[in-house]
Amino acid sequence: MSLTSTHAMDPEGGTTRQNSAKRESWRTVLTLAYQSLGVVYGDLSISPLYVFRSTFAEDIKHTESNEEVFGVLSLVFWTITLVPLLKYVFVVLKADDNGEGGTFALYSLLCRHAKVSSLPNYQVADEELQEYKKDSRGAAPETSFAARLSSTFEKHEVLQRVLLVLALIGTCMVIGDGIFTPAISVFSAVSGLELSMSKEKHTYVEVPAACIILIGLFALQHYGTHRVGFLFAPVIITWLFCLSTIGIYNIFYWNLHVYKALSPYYAFQLLRKTQKGGWMALGGILLCITGSEAMFADLGHFTQLSIKIAFTSVVYPSLILAYMGQAAYLSKHHNIAQDYHFGFYESVPEKLRWPVLVIAILAAVVGSQAIITGTFSIIKQCSSLSCFPRVKVIHTSSKIHGQIYIPEINWLLMMLCLAVTICFRDTKRLGHAAGLAVITVMLVTTCLMSMVIVLCWHQNVLLALGFVFIFGSIEALFFSASLIKFLQGAWVPIALALVLLTVMYAWHYGTLKKYEYDVQNKVSINWLLDQGPSLGIVRVHGVGLLHTELVSGIPVIFFQFVANLPAFHQVLVFLCIKHVPVPHVKAKERFLVGRIGPKEFRIYRCIVRYGYHDVHRDDFEFENDLICSIAEFIRTERTESNSPNDEPLKDDRMAVVGTCSTHSLLMSEDKVDNVENVDLPGPSELKEIKSLKVTQQQKKRVRFLVPESPKIDTRVMEELEELMEAREAGVAYIIGQTHMRAKPGSSMLKKIGINLVYEFLRRNSRAPSFVTGVPHASSLEVGMMYQV
């Protein structure tokens, strides 16, 4: 009887728990949807400020028949419906890379599934990472088109370069968007002042006011968005409420029949009537979808569902109502004396203009903030994947993932943003520049997405071709309309993209050549074995960390070091810090540890793996994790029964070891003010090995606890104790400073790329994050000249 009752009650309890979990899940989704309004949709929501003004700037005229206004409204409606709604919400958002989005997320997906990589120090062991295999749909059948396409990419290096350049072009235009979007957003918001003063006075007020706001915006970046981020969503919600309310008012007050213009008939009628003028006006209409890429780029901070809910339920209807209201107002106002009559503020009731102006400026700042932060993020991704010179990355929040600040890029963006604002001085040319940058990014996304459909999703090639045909045709039409305005401002993003592409490709090419030189000139392990345990030099107390990009072999820089110095440390670690083409690497998979030579050599290789979104903080915890991972490797290493004399292991045998938090070797860290005569009691069944970590204000005692059950071999215990003694004696960092020159007889293009561009970038870029956190007293630089 009791069994029956228990069985009957379990489903009810399970249902209650499931309902509670569902309520909690929906609460989380709705909270994220609310937050995404401020982060994701700021740029997209301020587009009504300048779309109609840019469209009617010069290519089409407003006539009594209203065919032009209704045609523009129809084009705007279908553009917003087809691109942000159908393309991004229903298709592109599904192509996330373990929850991350953006151009490099698509590129990373393609690299993994096509088995190609832009990273030189790729290892087969990287494919065993959980993030690498997560969401994988398995291998495509050998006879499928996906398998043949993947094989083609593997065999032809030219195709791999084309794929990389395509991703870099998209990245360059995202950076360009980070320049033009703040300029046109703030300038358009401030343009509301023109209705309250004469044209002469307005000329001297609009540009300075926009510049002051932009300077303040960029000057506050180093504080991070987390301090004022809670205001972002309320500002954008208030702005969207104003848009929809004013739109509804204009529809009912001026022209209730404006809804008829949502028919595609009016769009075709406009293009048929105006022909070339209508086609060229598409360059202004495409501004209604600026910011759509942010839905995908900011996916890592939210979820697919939350972004979809926010767009379909709030952003999409608000924007449609806003454009319908503007069209309704213009349909009853045909005596246009000034071009600003096509601006947004003209359709705002006069009593509400000043409050709406203030809200619009705040919304423009929020929208600009989102694209600036996105620019920082994509530059960090490029730098992680060796496609951008190293820059200083500051994490402005310890709690919120992805909030970063890059000082050099911030001030460069500010200067360029001010330059285009002062030089262009109107929304027309700013719109041409911003439009070309936006549509180029979308075209790149469409091309990469079509390959994702085949290579990653294993769908029929006809589906990919259909995707390219539908959305690629629309975007190509907009692209051609933007490109025709080359001399009216569209040349700026093209010139900027060429400069950035040269910088990024030269850096990537130089990095590859440097790695190839290291591989070709690495020292044979036989040389090391011939030297004996002492390496033919004096081994002094301490740990020597030699930084190298190699994942196998002995770097030539070590040979250079021992050839010039008579001593080296008793424990030597070849340290390689590398990034893999996944967003994140779990802590338990962070370290790959192996041994070089016999055990008595005390030489180890440690490969530290990070994803392109991972945070590599410059603190002392990294050093502890490194020593702890080596100690864990020693403790868990299996000695083969047929090699009792510690025969040297193969150089490529590596073990996956997590950080200190993922295993029991490191139990605790105690902060103490005085490290002398401190009694550290421990359980009798544990052997305690101690290490000291000293900072300027306090000292930490790191306790390594090695269990005796199962019993640890005496030699293993001796090796662990020696490692800890070396750690206490101090850690020295050996850092290579390499200078590269093109070989005599190289082509002029290679000499320019290596001798001038790459070397200039290397001298003026940041050192690797591993190097910047090293105390000067503990570091030693070894210089070498490479001829590649």
Side-chain angles (χ1 to χ4, degrees), residues 700-723:
K700 284 185 181 179
R701 183 175 296 277
V702 183
R703 301 180 178 181
F704 292 92
L705 305 178
V706 184
E708 292 186 351
S709 180
K711 291 183 178 181
I712 297 180
D713 186 81
T714 306
R715 292 176 299 175
V716 173
M717 184 61 69
E718 290 176 355
E719 189 172 1
L720 285 170
E721 290 176 345
E722 186 175 341
L723 175 65

mmCIF file of all heavy atoms in Angstrom, residues 700-723:
data_model
loop_
_atom_site.group_PDB
_atom_site.id
_atom_site.type_symbol
_atom_site.label_atom_id
_atom_site.label_comp_id
_atom_site.label_asym_id
_atom_site.label_seq_id
_atom_site.Cartn_x
_atom_site.Cartn_y
_atom_site.Cartn_z
ATOM 1 N N LYS A 700 50.880 34.801 0.605
ATOM 2 C CA LYS A 700 49.964 33.676 0.601
ATOM 3 C C LYS A 700 50.744 32.388 0.716
ATOM 4 O O LYS A 700 51.759 32.205 0.044
ATOM 5 C CB LYS A 700 49.146 33.634 -0.707
ATOM 6 C CG LYS A 700 48.040 34.660 -0.768
ATOM 7 C CD LYS A 700 47.242 34.447 -2.038
ATOM 8 C CE LYS A 700 46.131 35.463 -2.146
ATOM 9 N NZ LYS A 700 45.364 35.285 -3.384
ATOM 10 N N ARG A 701 50.253 31.492 1.547
ATOM 11 C CA ARG A 701 50.849 30.173 1.637
ATOM 12 C C ARG A 701 49.965 29.213 0.878
ATOM 13 O O ARG A 701 48.801 29.034 1.204
ATOM 14 C CB ARG A 701 50.967 29.751 3.109
ATOM 15 C CG ARG A 701 51.643 28.399 3.253
ATOM 16 C CD ARG A 701 51.851 28.073 4.719
ATOM 17 N NE ARG A 701 52.771 29.015 5.334
ATOM 18 C CZ ARG A 701 54.081 28.901 5.268
ATOM 19 N NH1 ARG A 701 54.632 27.919 4.610
ATOM 20 N NH2 ARG A 701 54.865 29.793 5.851
ATOM 21 N N VAL A 702 50.512 28.617 -0.156
ATOM 22 C CA VAL A 702 49.776 27.686 -0.992
ATOM 23 C C VAL A 702 50.107 26.278 -0.563
ATOM 24 O O VAL A 702 51.269 25.877 -0.607
ATOM 25 C CB VAL A 702 50.126 27.882 -2.487
ATOM 26 C CG1 VAL A 702 49.307 26.955 -3.348
ATOM 27 C CG2 VAL A 702 49.878 29.327 -2.892
ATOM 28 N N ARG A 703 49.143 25.527 -0.127
ATOM 29 C CA ARG A 703 49.364 24.181 0.399
ATOM 30 C C ARG A 703 49.072 23.134 -0.664
ATOM 31 O O ARG A 703 47.957 23.027 -1.147
ATOM 32 C CB ARG A 703 48.466 23.931 1.610
ATOM 33 C CG ARG A 703 48.672 24.904 2.757
ATOM 34 C CD ARG A 703 47.729 24.562 3.885
ATOM 35 N NE ARG A 703 47.924 25.456 5.027
ATOM 36 C CZ ARG A 703 47.237 25.344 6.153
ATOM 37 N NH1 ARG A 703 46.314 24.411 6.278
ATOM 38 N NH2 ARG A 703 47.464 26.179 7.143
ATOM 39 N N PHE A 704 50.052 22.368 -1.014
ATOM 40 C CA PHE A 704 49.883 21.239 -1.925
ATOM 41 C C PHE A 704 49.801 19.980 -1.077
ATOM 42 O O PHE A 704 50.753 19.646 -0.372
ATOM 43 C CB PHE A 704 51.055 21.138 -2.905
ATOM 44 C CG PHE A 704 51.101 22.265 -3.890
ATOM 45 C CD1 PHE A 704 51.830 23.406 -3.625
ATOM 46 C CD2 PHE A 704 50.393 22.180 -5.072
ATOM 47 C CE1 PHE A 704 51.872 24.450 -4.522
ATOM 48 C CE2 PHE A 704 50.434 23.228 -5.987
ATOM 49 C CZ PHE A 704 51.170 24.355 -5.710
ATOM 50 N N LEU A 705 48.674 19.311 -1.132
ATOM 51 C CA LEU A 705 48.463 18.117 -0.323
ATOM 52 C C LEU A 705 48.490 16.890 -1.216
ATOM 53 O O LEU A 705 47.678 16.761 -2.123
ATOM 54 C CB LEU A 705 47.124 18.213 0.417
ATOM 55 C CG LEU A 705 46.956 19.484 1.281
ATOM 56 C CD1 LEU A 705 45.583 19.480 1.918
ATOM 57 C CD2 LEU A 705 48.041 19.548 2.343
ATOM 58 N N VAL A 706 49.427 15.994 -0.949
ATOM 59 C CA VAL A 706 49.584 14.800 -1.767
ATOM 60 C C VAL A 706 49.121 13.590 -0.968
ATOM 61 O O VAL A 706 49.719 13.256 0.052
ATOM 62 C CB VAL A 706 51.055 14.615 -2.188
ATOM 63 C CG1 VAL A 706 51.185 13.435 -3.122
ATOM 64 C CG2 VAL A 706 51.560 15.877 -2.858
ATOM 65 N N PRO A 707 48.043 12.925 -1.329
ATOM 66 C CA PRO A 707 47.569 11.769 -0.570
ATOM 67 C C PRO A 707 48.532 10.597 -0.648
ATOM 68 O O PRO A 707 49.171 10.370 -1.665
ATOM 69 C CB PRO A 707 46.224 11.434 -1.250
ATOM 70 C CG PRO A 707 46.346 11.982 -2.620
ATOM 71 C CD PRO A 707 47.212 13.190 -2.522
ATOM 72 N N GLU A 708 48.621 9.843 0.458
ATOM 73 C CA GLU A 708 49.501 8.681 0.490
ATOM 74 C C GLU A 708 48.758 7.385 0.178
ATOM 75 O O GLU A 708 49.346 6.331 0.170
ATOM 76 C CB GLU A 708 50.162 8.573 1.869
ATOM 77 C CG GLU A 708 51.153 9.695 2.144
ATOM 78 C CD GLU A 708 51.901 9.478 3.445
ATOM 79 O OE1 GLU A 708 51.517 8.555 4.180
ATOM 80 O OE2 GLU A 708 52.843 10.228 3.716
ATOM 81 N N SER A 709 47.478 7.472 -0.052
ATOM 82 C CA SER A 709 46.701 6.283 -0.377
ATOM 83 C C SER A 709 45.939 6.539 -1.663
ATOM 84 O O SER A 709 45.071 7.427 -1.699
ATOM 85 C CB SER A 709 45.741 5.949 0.750
ATOM 86 O OG SER A 709 44.984 4.801 0.433
ATOM 87 N N PRO A 710 46.245 5.889 -2.778
ATOM 88 C CA PRO A 710 47.275 4.850 -2.882
ATOM 89 C C PRO A 710 48.677 5.435 -2.716
ATOM 90 O O PRO A 710 48.890 6.610 -2.961
ATOM 91 C CB PRO A 710 47.078 4.321 -4.298
ATOM 92 C CG PRO A 710 46.473 5.463 -5.041
ATOM 93 C CD PRO A 710 45.599 6.184 -4.079
ATOM 94 N N LYS A 711 49.597 4.591 -2.297
ATOM 95 C CA LYS A 711 50.943 5.045 -1.982
ATOM 96 C C LYS A 711 51.623 5.628 -3.211
ATOM 97 O O LYS A 711 51.537 5.102 -4.300
ATOM 98 C CB LYS A 711 51.770 3.885 -1.427
ATOM 99 C CG LYS A 711 51.308 3.430 -0.051
ATOM 100 C CD LYS A 711 52.210 2.340 0.473
ATOM 101 C CE LYS A 711 51.783 1.914 1.882
ATOM 102 N NZ LYS A 711 52.669 0.869 2.425
ATOM 103 N N ILE A 712 52.306 6.722 -2.978
ATOM 104 C CA ILE A 712 53.030 7.384 -4.053
ATOM 105 C C ILE A 712 54.466 6.888 -4.047
ATOM 106 O O ILE A 712 55.100 6.757 -2.992
ATOM 107 C CB ILE A 712 52.985 8.907 -3.858
ATOM 108 C CG1 ILE A 712 51.533 9.388 -3.951
ATOM 109 C CG2 ILE A 712 53.842 9.615 -4.877
ATOM 110 C CD1 ILE A 712 51.381 10.865 -3.762
ATOM 111 N N ASP A 713 54.940 6.630 -5.255
ATOM 112 C CA ASP A 713 56.312 6.152 -5.399
ATOM 113 C C ASP A 713 57.290 7.171 -4.805
ATOM 114 O O ASP A 713 57.078 8.392 -4.875
ATOM 115 C CB ASP A 713 56.617 5.936 -6.890
ATOM 116 C CG ASP A 713 57.982 5.306 -7.109
ATOM 117 O OD1 ASP A 713 58.096 4.088 -6.969
ATOM 118 O OD2 ASP A 713 58.912 6.077 -7.401
ATOM 119 N N THR A 714 58.380 6.648 -4.236
ATOM 120 C CA THR A 714 59.375 7.517 -3.600
ATOM 121 C C THR A 714 59.955 8.517 -4.581
ATOM 122 O O THR A 714 60.150 9.694 -4.255
ATOM 123 C CB THR A 714 60.511 6.665 -3.003
ATOM 124 O OG1 THR A 714 59.951 5.680 -2.135
ATOM 125 C CG2 THR A 714 61.482 7.539 -2.230
ATOM 126 N N ARG A 715 60.224 8.060 -5.801
ATOM 127 C CA ARG A 715 60.794 8.970 -6.791
ATOM 128 C C ARG A 715 59.807 10.069 -7.187
ATOM 129 O O ARG A 715 60.210 11.208 -7.452
ATOM 130 C CB ARG A 715 61.227 8.182 -8.024
ATOM 131 C CG ARG A 715 62.416 7.250 -7.772
ATOM 132 C CD ARG A 715 62.724 6.431 -8.993
ATOM 133 N NE ARG A 715 61.592 5.577 -9.379
ATOM 134 C CZ ARG A 715 61.551 4.824 -10.469
ATOM 135 N NH1 ARG A 715 62.581 4.810 -11.297
ATOM 136 N NH2 ARG A 715 60.509 4.080 -10.742
ATOM 137 N N VAL A 716 58.516 9.732 -7.213
ATOM 138 C CA VAL A 716 57.501 10.745 -7.502
ATOM 139 C C VAL A 716 57.466 11.782 -6.391
ATOM 140 O O VAL A 716 57.396 12.997 -6.643
ATOM 141 C CB VAL A 716 56.122 10.088 -7.689
ATOM 142 C CG1 VAL A 716 55.026 11.145 -7.809
ATOM 143 C CG2 VAL A 716 56.110 9.182 -8.910
ATOM 144 N N MET A 717 57.561 11.297 -5.131
ATOM 145 C CA MET A 717 57.555 12.213 -4.008
ATOM 146 C C MET A 717 58.780 13.128 -4.042
ATOM 147 O O MET A 717 58.684 14.331 -3.790
ATOM 148 C CB MET A 717 57.534 11.423 -2.704
ATOM 149 C CG MET A 717 57.418 12.311 -1.462
ATOM 150 S SD MET A 717 55.884 13.267 -1.459
ATOM 151 C CE MET A 717 54.704 11.935 -1.215
ATOM 152 N N GLU A 718 59.915 12.570 -4.408
ATOM 153 C CA GLU A 718 61.132 13.378 -4.500
ATOM 154 C C GLU A 718 60.996 14.446 -5.590
ATOM 155 O O GLU A 718 61.424 15.587 -5.411
ATOM 156 C CB GLU A 718 62.333 12.474 -4.797
ATOM 157 C CG GLU A 718 62.727 11.571 -3.632
ATOM 158 C CD GLU A 718 63.854 10.626 -4.021
ATOM 159 O OE1 GLU A 718 64.243 10.632 -5.206
ATOM 160 O OE2 GLU A 718 64.321 9.877 -3.147
ATOM 161 N N GLU A 719 60.384 14.049 -6.705
ATOM 162 C CA GLU A 719 60.210 15.004 -7.790
ATOM 163 C C GLU A 719 59.252 16.126 -7.399
ATOM 164 O O GLU A 719 59.484 17.300 -7.710
ATOM 165 C CB GLU A 719 59.700 14.284 -9.044
ATOM 166 C CG GLU A 719 59.695 15.154 -10.285
ATOM 167 C CD GLU A 719 59.364 14.366 -11.550
ATOM 168 O OE1 GLU A 719 59.121 13.138 -11.452
ATOM 169 O OE2 GLU A 719 59.333 14.987 -12.631
ATOM 170 N N LEU A 720 58.190 15.769 -6.678
ATOM 171 C CA LEU A 720 57.255 16.782 -6.212
ATOM 172 C C LEU A 720 57.913 17.749 -5.230
ATOM 173 O O LEU A 720 57.734 18.970 -5.316
ATOM 174 C CB LEU A 720 56.047 16.121 -5.546
ATOM 175 C CG LEU A 720 55.019 15.475 -6.487
ATOM 176 C CD1 LEU A 720 54.011 14.661 -5.683
ATOM 177 C CD2 LEU A 720 54.304 16.524 -7.310
ATOM 178 N N GLU A 721 58.683 17.203 -4.318
ATOM 179 C CA GLU A 721 59.360 18.044 -3.345
ATOM 180 C C GLU A 721 60.382 18.961 -4.026
ATOM 181 O O GLU A 721 60.528 20.134 -3.661
ATOM 182 C CB GLU A 721 60.041 17.177 -2.287
ATOM 183 C CG GLU A 721 59.049 16.485 -1.358
ATOM 184 C CD GLU A 721 59.735 15.559 -0.381
ATOM 185 O OE1 GLU A 721 60.921 15.238 -0.602
ATOM 186 O OE2 GLU A 721 59.092 15.162 0.605
ATOM 187 N N GLU A 722 61.056 18.427 -5.028
ATOM 188 C CA GLU A 722 62.021 19.244 -5.756
ATOM 189 C C GLU A 722 61.317 20.373 -6.507
ATOM 190 O O GLU A 722 61.826 21.503 -6.582
ATOM 191 C CB GLU A 722 62.809 18.370 -6.739
ATOM 192 C CG GLU A 722 63.950 19.110 -7.434
ATOM 193 C CD GLU A 722 64.791 18.193 -8.301
ATOM 194 O OE1 GLU A 722 64.733 16.956 -8.099
ATOM 195 O OE2 GLU A 722 65.499 18.716 -9.179
ATOM 196 N N LEU A 723 60.151 20.078 -7.070
ATOM 197 C CA LEU A 723 59.387 21.098 -7.764
ATOM 198 C C LEU A 723 58.963 22.215 -6.808
ATOM 199 O O LEU A 723 59.077 23.404 -7.120
ATOM 200 C CB LEU A 723 58.143 20.466 -8.417
ATOM 201 C CG LEU A 723 57.164 21.444 -9.095
ATOM 202 C CD1 LEU A 723 57.820 22.130 -10.278
ATOM 203 C CD2 LEU A 723 55.891 20.706 -9.540
#
